[in-house]
PDB file of all heavy atoms in Angstrom:
ATOM      1  N   GLY A 969      22.073 -30.987  -6.578  1.00 74.00           N
ATOM      2  CA  GLY A 969      22.039 -30.275  -7.844  1.00 74.00           C
ATOM      3  C   GLY A 969      23.411 -30.041  -8.441  1.00 74.00           C
ATOM      4  O   GLY A 969      24.436 -30.544  -7.964  1.00 74.00           O
ATOM      5  N   PHE A 971      26.460 -28.045  -8.828  1.00 95.00           N
ATOM      6  CA  PHE A 971      27.059 -27.047  -7.937  1.00 95.00           C
ATOM      7  C   PHE A 971      27.556 -25.828  -8.704  1.00 95.00           C
ATOM      8  O   PHE A 971      27.414 -24.694  -8.247  1.00 95.00           O
ATOM      9  CB  PHE A 971      28.188 -27.676  -7.133  1.00 95.00           C
ATOM     10  CG  PHE A 971      28.697 -26.788  -6.028  1.00 95.00           C
ATOM     11  CD1 PHE A 971      27.831 -26.284  -5.069  1.00 95.00           C
ATOM     12  CD2 PHE A 971      30.032 -26.451  -5.946  1.00 95.00           C
ATOM     13  CE1 PHE A 971      28.284 -25.467  -4.045  1.00 95.00           C
ATOM     14  CE2 PHE A 971      30.497 -25.629  -4.928  1.00 95.00           C
ATOM     15  CZ  PHE A 971      29.626 -25.138  -3.981  1.00 95.00           C
ATOM     16  N   ALA A 979      24.791 -15.763  -7.590  1.00 95.00           N
ATOM     17  CA  ALA A 979      25.577 -14.533  -7.695  1.00 95.00           C
ATOM     18  C   ALA A 979      24.714 -13.292  -7.495  1.00 95.00           C
ATOM     19  O   ALA A 979      25.112 -12.350  -6.793  1.00 95.00           O
ATOM     20  CB  ALA A 979      26.279 -14.477  -9.056  1.00 95.00           C
ATOM     21  N   ASP A1024      38.089   0.278  -8.679  1.00 93.00           N
ATOM     22  CA  ASP A1024      39.059   1.290  -9.111  1.00 93.00           C
ATOM     23  C   ASP A1024      40.239   1.327  -8.129  1.00 93.00           C
ATOM     24  O   ASP A1024      40.123   0.923  -6.972  1.00 93.00           O
ATOM     25  CB  ASP A1024      38.408   2.675  -9.144  1.00 93.00           C
ATOM     26  CG  ASP A1024      37.291   2.759 -10.180  1.00 93.00           C
ATOM     27  OD1 ASP A1024      37.401   2.070 -11.219  1.00 93.00           O
ATOM     28  OD2 ASP A1024      36.322   3.499  -9.939  1.00 93.00           O
ATOM     29  N   ASP A1063      52.748 -19.542 -17.322  1.00 84.00           N
ATOM     30  CA  ASP A1063      53.163 -20.892 -16.983  1.00 84.00           C
ATOM     31  C   ASP A1063      53.387 -20.962 -15.471  1.00 84.00           C
ATOM     32  O   ASP A1063      54.265 -20.278 -14.951  1.00 84.00           O
ATOM     33  CB  ASP A1063      54.454 -21.233 -17.727  1.00 84.00           C
ATOM     34  CG  ASP A1063      54.941 -22.649 -17.455  1.00 84.00           C
ATOM     35  OD1 ASP A1063      54.359 -23.319 -16.575  1.00 84.00           O
ATOM     36  OD2 ASP A1063      55.903 -23.067 -18.119  1.00 84.00           O
ATOM     37  N   GLY A1081      41.957 -30.504 -14.719  1.00 41.00           N
ATOM     38  CA  GLY A1081      41.138 -31.565 -14.187  1.00 41.00           C
ATOM     39  C   GLY A1081      41.938 -32.698 -13.590  1.00 41.00           C
ATOM     40  O   GLY A1081      41.386 -33.653 -13.054  1.00 41.00           O
ATOM     41  N   THR A1096      48.029 -27.440  -5.358  1.00 90.00           N
ATOM     42  CA  THR A1096      48.735 -27.252  -6.620  1.00 90.00           C
ATOM     43  C   THR A1096      48.103 -26.134  -7.432  1.00 90.00           C
ATOM     44  O   THR A1096      46.880 -25.986  -7.464  1.00 90.00           O
ATOM     45  CB  THR A1096      48.733 -28.540  -7.463  1.00 90.00           C
ATOM     46  OG1 THR A1096      47.391 -29.000  -7.606  1.00 90.00           O
ATOM     47  CG2 THR A1096      49.546 -29.637  -6.804  1.00 90.00           C
ATOM     48  N   ASP A1153      50.296  -9.537  11.076  1.00 97.00           N
ATOM     49  CA  ASP A1153      49.863  -8.510  12.023  1.00 97.00           C
ATOM     50  C   ASP A1153      49.389  -7.284  11.245  1.00 97.00           C
ATOM     51  O   ASP A1153      50.087  -6.797  10.348  1.00 97.00           O
ATOM     52  CB  ASP A1153      51.009  -8.118  12.946  1.00 97.00           C
ATOM     53  CG  ASP A1153      51.379  -9.229  13.916  1.00 97.00           C
ATOM     54  OD1 ASP A1153      50.619 -10.208  14.005  1.00 97.00           O
ATOM     55  OD2 ASP A1153      52.440  -9.122  14.568  1.00 97.00           O
ATOM     56  N   PRO A1174       2.786 -26.212   7.425  1.00 97.00           N
ATOM     57  CA  PRO A1174       2.693 -26.823   8.764  1.00 97.00           C
ATOM     58  C   PRO A1174       3.964 -27.528   9.233  1.00 97.00           C
ATOM     59  O   PRO A1174       4.197 -27.635  10.447  1.00 97.00           O
ATOM     60  CB  PRO A1174       1.541 -27.832   8.616  1.00 97.00           C
ATOM     61  CG  PRO A1174       0.708 -27.290   7.500  1.00 97.00           C
ATOM     62  CD  PRO A1174       1.666 -26.627   6.557  1.00 97.00           C
ATOM     63  N   ALA A1178       9.388 -28.110  12.175  1.00 98.00           N
ATOM     64  CA  ALA A1178      10.102 -29.386  12.299  1.00 98.00           C
ATOM     65  C   ALA A1178      11.241 -29.473  11.296  1.00 98.00           C
ATOM     66  O   ALA A1178      12.364 -29.878  11.634  1.00 98.00           O
ATOM     67  CB  ALA A1178       9.134 -30.549  12.109  1.00 98.00           C
ATOM     68  N   LEU A1203      31.378 -16.129  15.749  1.00 96.00           N
ATOM     69  CA  LEU A1203      32.656 -15.580  15.301  1.00 96.00           C
ATOM     70  C   LEU A1203      33.001 -14.265  16.004  1.00 96.00           C
ATOM     71  O   LEU A1203      34.179 -13.929  16.146  1.00 96.00           O
ATOM     72  CB  LEU A1203      32.642 -15.374  13.792  1.00 96.00           C
ATOM     73  CG  LEU A1203      32.793 -16.649  12.957  1.00 96.00           C
ATOM     74  CD1 LEU A1203      32.500 -16.359  11.493  1.00 96.00           C
ATOM     75  CD2 LEU A1203      34.186 -17.242  13.112  1.00 96.00           C
ATOM     76  N   ARG A1204      32.004 -13.520  16.426  1.00 94.00           N
ATOM     77  CA  ARG A1204      32.276 -12.276  17.146  1.00 94.00           C
ATOM     78  C   ARG A1204      33.121 -12.538  18.397  1.00 94.00           C
ATOM     79  O   ARG A1204      33.937 -11.717  18.799  1.00 94.00           O
ATOM     80  CB  ARG A1204      30.965 -11.597  17.554  1.00 94.00           C
ATOM     81  CG  ARG A1204      30.118 -11.060  16.421  1.00 94.00           C
ATOM     82  CD  ARG A1204      28.887 -10.417  17.028  1.00 94.00           C
ATOM     83  NE  ARG A1204      27.898 -10.036  16.062  1.00 94.00           N
ATOM     84  CZ  ARG A1204      27.861  -8.875  15.422  1.00 94.00           C
ATOM     85  NH1 ARG A1204      28.815  -7.989  15.652  1.00 94.00           N
ATOM     86  NH2 ARG A1204      26.900  -8.605  14.568  1.00 94.00           N
ATOM     87  N   ARG A1219      24.438  -6.987   8.528  1.00 97.00           N
ATOM     88  CA  ARG A1219      23.576  -8.037   8.010  1.00 97.00           C
ATOM     89  C   ARG A1219      23.760  -8.187   6.500  1.00 97.00           C
ATOM     90  O   ARG A1219      23.896  -7.202   5.771  1.00 97.00           O
ATOM     91  CB  ARG A1219      22.118  -7.713   8.312  1.00 97.00           C
ATOM     92  CG  ARG A1219      21.758  -7.777   9.787  1.00 97.00           C
ATOM     93  CD  ARG A1219      21.476  -9.191  10.247  1.00 97.00           C
ATOM     94  NE  ARG A1219      20.256  -9.723   9.679  1.00 97.00           N
ATOM     95  CZ  ARG A1219      19.043  -9.591  10.228  1.00 97.00           C
ATOM     96  NH1 ARG A1219      18.905  -8.929  11.369  1.00 97.00           N
ATOM     97  NH2 ARG A1219      17.982 -10.129   9.660  1.00 97.00           N
ATOM     98  N   ASP A1229       5.189  -8.462 -12.408  1.00 59.00           N
ATOM     99  CA  ASP A1229       4.983  -7.706 -13.641  1.00 59.00           C
ATOM    100  C   ASP A1229       3.522  -7.324 -13.737  1.00 59.00           C
ATOM    101  O   ASP A1229       2.655  -8.155 -14.025  1.00 59.00           O
ATOM    102  CB  ASP A1229       5.387  -8.562 -14.842  1.00 59.00           C
ATOM    103  CG  ASP A1229       5.274  -7.808 -16.160  1.00 59.00           C
ATOM    104  OD1 ASP A1229       5.024  -6.590 -16.118  1.00 59.00           O
ATOM    105  OD2 ASP A1229       5.433  -8.441 -17.214  1.00 59.00           O
ATOM    106  N   ALA A1238      17.012 -13.513 -12.960  1.00 93.00           N
ATOM    107  CA  ALA A1238      18.143 -14.305 -13.468  1.00 93.00           C
ATOM    108  C   ALA A1238      17.831 -15.793 -13.342  1.00 93.00           C
ATOM    109  O   ALA A1238      16.773 -16.255 -13.757  1.00 93.00           O
ATOM    110  CB  ALA A1238      19.428 -13.910 -12.756  1.00 93.00           C
ATOM    111  N   ALA A1269       7.105 -31.368  -1.597  1.00 98.00           N
ATOM    112  CA  ALA A1269       6.169 -31.261  -2.712  1.00 98.00           C
ATOM    113  C   ALA A1269       5.541 -29.874  -2.768  1.00 98.00           C
ATOM    114  O   ALA A1269       5.400 -29.280  -3.851  1.00 98.00           O
ATOM    115  CB  ALA A1269       5.086 -32.339  -2.584  1.00 98.00           C
ATOM    116  N   ARG A1271       6.799 -27.024  -1.558  1.00 98.00           N
ATOM    117  CA  ARG A1271       7.789 -26.005  -1.917  1.00 98.00           C
ATOM    118  C   ARG A1271       8.135 -26.083  -3.404  1.00 98.00           C
ATOM    119  O   ARG A1271       8.312 -25.029  -4.060  1.00 98.00           O
ATOM    120  CB  ARG A1271       9.058 -26.185  -1.071  1.00 98.00           C
ATOM    121  CG  ARG A1271       8.861 -25.942   0.424  1.00 98.00           C
ATOM    122  CD  ARG A1271       8.102 -24.667   0.682  1.00 98.00           C
ATOM    123  NE  ARG A1271       8.006 -24.326   2.102  1.00 98.00           N
ATOM    124  CZ  ARG A1271       7.191 -23.395   2.565  1.00 98.00           C
ATOM    125  NH1 ARG A1271       6.402 -22.729   1.729  1.00 98.00           N
ATOM    126  NH2 ARG A1271       7.138 -23.120   3.849  1.00 98.00           N
ATOM    127  N   LEU A1289      31.481  -9.947   8.337  1.00 98.00           N
ATOM    128  CA  LEU A1289      32.378  -9.516   9.400  1.00 98.00           C
ATOM    129  C   LEU A1289      33.715  -9.089   8.784  1.00 98.00           C
ATOM    130  O   LEU A1289      34.217  -9.732   7.853  1.00 98.00           O
ATOM    131  CB  LEU A1289      32.631 -10.647  10.402  1.00 98.00           C
ATOM    132  CG  LEU A1289      31.381 -11.134  11.123  1.00 98.00           C
ATOM    133  CD1 LEU A1289      31.032 -12.543  10.662  1.00 98.00           C
ATOM    134  CD2 LEU A1289      31.562 -11.115  12.636  1.00 98.00           C
TER     135      LEU A1289
END
Side-chain angles (χ1 to χ4, degrees):
F971 190 55
D1024 296 328
D1063 182 352
T1096 53
D1153 291 349
L1203 284 169
R1204 293 181 189 272
R1219 292 278 291 271
D1229 183 8
R1271 295 313 186 193
L1289 298 111

